[in-house]
């Protein structure tokens, strides 16, 4: 089974019920996150009530949807989106929300390692989580950026421009905790042979990021670069709120267990979408030399999208099962 193209499975397969995310198929939900930095927020804020979920069940469903577990064929009870604008808007917002949660959980691992001392090396479990979450970020870059270039230029980029002329991913509050790791800056343990898998996953992520950006913005100028002479803006508390507002992200006293539960819910929605529509429902509109580079160096990241979703859901479920229904 491939998650890159829609598939149909036999009646004897595991049944995966339809949408339970948002108010309708491909609807959106706000993401509740702790303040950027350490996960524990002050209790003076009003608690945030989150939808309940069964993370272990969802992890099993994702293994069925993606064909990454034993006997893992799935019969999917979900409909396609009513329009491609709705589908790709859903992917842009939810793909970013998943990314924020992955960054937060990567930051949690880095915190745990850092607390052991400046020369501490992540253990095997921590390395496995970091590698999986880095691959998960690559998968979300592919997922969010799966729209045709023309649709991105018509729908998504203008919406960000209306939020702010210099709208930039560098404003993402949760990025700062993992900036050094994601940008390939050496950490005390990244030269350790035991970190080879993590380093390779981070390298693949940077290649995917650059290729998706080059395809969606052929001229190579982001909104920030485009507006730099007119309205130069540095990241600040104000730009962080603008960014969170665009991606429907709330900040409050949210523990990492609840972040993980929200991640699992979103991964299920992504898995349903991909099972019904495939990764490129309208095809990928690159050609020529760029297509050769994509198909050569990044095809493995595409092929692994389903497996990565299931693995990330498994790790998140381990943490999420300790989340209360409301925090």
């Amino acid at each position: 089974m491939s998650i890159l193209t829609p598939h149909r499975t036999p009646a004897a397969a595991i049944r995966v019920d339809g949408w339970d995310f948002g108010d309708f198929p491909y609807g959106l939900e706000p993401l509740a996150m702790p303040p950027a930095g350490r996960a524990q927020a002050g209790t003076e804020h009003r608690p945030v009530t989150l939808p309940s979920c069964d993370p272990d069940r969802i992890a099993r469903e994702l293994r069925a949807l993606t064909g990454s577990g034993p006997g893992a064929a799935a019969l999917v009870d979900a409909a396609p989106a009513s329009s491609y604008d709705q589908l790709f808007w859903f992917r842009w917002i939810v793909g970013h929300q998943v990314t924020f949660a992955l960054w937060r959980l990567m930051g949690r691992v880095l915190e745990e390692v850092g607390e052991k001392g400046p020369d501490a090396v992540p253990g095997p479990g921590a390395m496995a989580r970091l590698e999986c979450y880095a691959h998960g970020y690559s998968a979300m870059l592919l997922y969010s950026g799966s729209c045709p270039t023309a649709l991105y230029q018509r729908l998504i980029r203008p919406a960000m421009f209306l939020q702010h002329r210099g709208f930039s991913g560098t404003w993402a509050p949760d990025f700062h905790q993992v900036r050094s790791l994601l940008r390939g800056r050496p950490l005390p343990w990244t030269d350790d042979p035991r970190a080879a898998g993590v380093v390779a996953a981070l390298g693949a992520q940077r290649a995917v990021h650059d290729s998706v950006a080059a395809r969606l913005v052929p001229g190579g100028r982001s909104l920030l670069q485009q507006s730099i002479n007119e309205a130069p803006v540095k990241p600040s508390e104000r730009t962080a709120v603008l960014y969170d507002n665009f991606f429907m992200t709330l900040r409050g006293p949210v523990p990492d267990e609840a972040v993980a539960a929200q991640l699992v819910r979103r991964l299920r929605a992504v898995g349903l979408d991909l099972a019904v529509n495939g990764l490129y429902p309208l095809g990928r509109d690159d050609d020529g030399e760029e297509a050769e580079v994509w198909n050569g160096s990044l095809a493995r990241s595409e092929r692994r999208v389903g497996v990565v979703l299931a693995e990330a859901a498994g790790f998140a479920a381990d943490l999420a099962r300790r989340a209360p229904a409301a925090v």
Side-chain angles (χ1 to χ4, degrees), residues 89-171:
W89 185 256
F90 172 85
R91 290 186 175 193
W92 190 254
I93 299 301
V94 173
H96 278 78
Q97 290 183 342
V98 169
T99 295
F100 305 156
L102 290 170
W103 286 346
R104 175 54 239 161
L105 297 188
M106 292 178 78
R108 175 188 175 94
V109 177
L110 295 177
E111 285 179 4
E112 292 170 351
V113 174
E115 289 170 355
K116 296 177 181 178
D119 298 323
V121 176
M127 289 289 193
R129 281 182 285 160
L130 284 174
E131 182 176 350
C132 176
Y133 295 151
H135 284 308
Y137 178 27
S138 292
M140 287 305 101
L141 289 166
L142 291 168
Y143 180 73
S144 299
S146 59
C147 58
T149 302
L151 188 146
Y152 173 81
Q153 295 288 344
R154 173 180 62 80
L155 177 68
I156 296 173
R157 187 176 171 98
M160 294 189 295
F161 178 85
L162 289 174
Q163 186 80 343
H164 193 286
R165 293 183 181 182
F167 195 86
S168 171
T170 62
W171 297 353

Side-chain angles (χ1 to χ4, degrees), residues 155-196:
L155 177 68
I156 296 173
R157 187 176 171 98
M160 294 189 295
F161 178 85
L162 289 174
Q163 186 80 343
H164 193 286
R165 293 183 181 182
F167 195 86
S168 171
T170 62
W171 297 353
D174 303 288
F175 178 68
H176 298 287
Q177 193 174 20
V178 293
R179 177 196 298 268
S180 294
L181 183 68
L182 295 178
R183 291 192 170 175
R185 296 170 184 165
L187 296 177
W189 49 267
T190 49
D191 289 334
D192 191 291
R194 291 169 289 182

